[in-house]
Amino acid sequence: MTTTPPPPPPAGPTDTGSLTPTDHRAFAFLGQVNSSLRQCLCTLARHGVALRRDAPERARLLLDTVRPWPLYKGGQFLFDLMEWEDLMVDGDPPPVMSTERIVAACTLPVRLAAAATEEAPAVTKLVPGQRTTAALGLPLRLLTTTARSTLLSAAQDLTDLLGPAAPDDAVPDDDAGYATDPEPVTDDTGAELPPLEAGFYLYEDIALGALSVLGPLLADHAPTDPAPPA
């Protein structure tokens, strides 16, 4: 009796060989992004711990205000979904990130959000093309804000590059008119900020730290005549 041999197993994935230099550089960049994100989150959380410890009433009022907001709830969802707590507490604590660096990283997103939520001027007369103009108003404002920020940043970089070195104790102000060093809960040094506290309050501590560190930046973009609190 003739036995039919079984069919050959399906071919496995093609062996692509060892990683290329480009792969290693790409992973180095992604690793740097992870490290910077971890350093920023841990620093904000430590500022939050300091605020919760030193000003518990203010911390409670801040959290009570932001908890109903979708932005806060969305941040909580992303924090849990992306398992950022595991990223933060895995390994030795990272060094404290300076407030200047955190504010600088958040300046452009805040400006874009301010431009996107700015109230458009009311149209008092119906003119041809009015609806098209109104529809393009927001993208144009966003484009203008982005272009202005890019030009100002490039000009500042050239000034820093070509100008004389500033003293170590000089603290420059941002071009938007606010100091980049916000009111710190404590001095911005790893020795004086309390250690990270993992657990139930971790996301709340990040939110408190963000409100503390970025408060002056957010306040600088507040409406000219804000509505009184309800």
Side-chain angles (χ1 to χ4, degrees):
M1 179 177 179
T2 304
T3 303
T4 304
T14 304
D15 183 9
T16 57
S18 59
L19 296 178
T20 67
T22 300
D23 295 331
H24 287 292
R25 295 182 63 186
F27 285 135
F29 167 72
L30 295 176
Q32 178 184 351
V33 171
N34 275 339
S35 297
S36 296
L37 175 62
R38 179 173 185 257
Q39 185 181 6
C40 181
L41 290 174
C42 289
T43 299
L44 291 178
R46 292 175 66 178
H47 277 285
V49 172
L51 180 58
R52 186 159 48 84
R53 179 197 63 189
D54 299 337
E57 182 63 17
R58 180 187 172 206
R60 183 187 66 80
L61 291 174
L62 287 173
L63 289 174
D64 287 346
T65 300
V66 300
R67 274 196 187 105
W69 294 354
L71 189 61
Y72 178 88
K73 296 177 180 179
Q76 176 76 76
F77 174 76
L78 290 176
F79 184 81
D80 295 335
L81 180 67
M82 296 184 176
E83 299 182 348
W84 279 351
E85 180 176 2
D86 295 342
L87 172 69
M88 294 171 65
V89 302
D90 183 23
D92 296 331
V96 172
M97 180 177 287
S98 69
T99 54
E100 290 87 353
R101 183 177 175 188
I102 297 175
V103 171
C106 296
T107 296
L108 181 57
V110 170
R111 286 178 177 170
L112 292 177
T117 55
E118 180 184 3
E119 184 176 357
V123 180
T124 58
K125 183 179 179 181
L126 182 62
V127 295
Q130 170 185 301
R131 294 178 178 82
T132 302
T133 302
L136 291 175
L138 176 58
L140 288 176
R141 288 200 303 277
L142 288 173
L143 181 60
T144 301
T145 301
T146 304
R148 177 178 178 274
S149 175
T150 302
L151 289 174
L152 289 174
S153 299
Q156 186 62 53
D157 287 340
L158 288 174
T159 301
D160 295 340
L161 179 63
L162 301 177
D168 292 339
D169 58 350
V171 181
D173 287 348
D174 182 78
D175 57 76
Y178 60 85
T180 55
D181 187 12
E183 342 174 340
V185 176
T186 60
D187 291 338
D188 192 16
T189 62
E192 296 181 352
L193 279 177
L196 186 71
E197 294 184 3
F200 180 75
Y201 294 105
L202 187 55
Y203 176 71
E204 291 185 352
D205 287 339
I206 294 173
L208 288 173
L211 290 171
S212 175
V213 172
L214 301 177
L217 173 64
L218 301 178
D220 191 70
H221 291 81
T224 305
D225 186 17

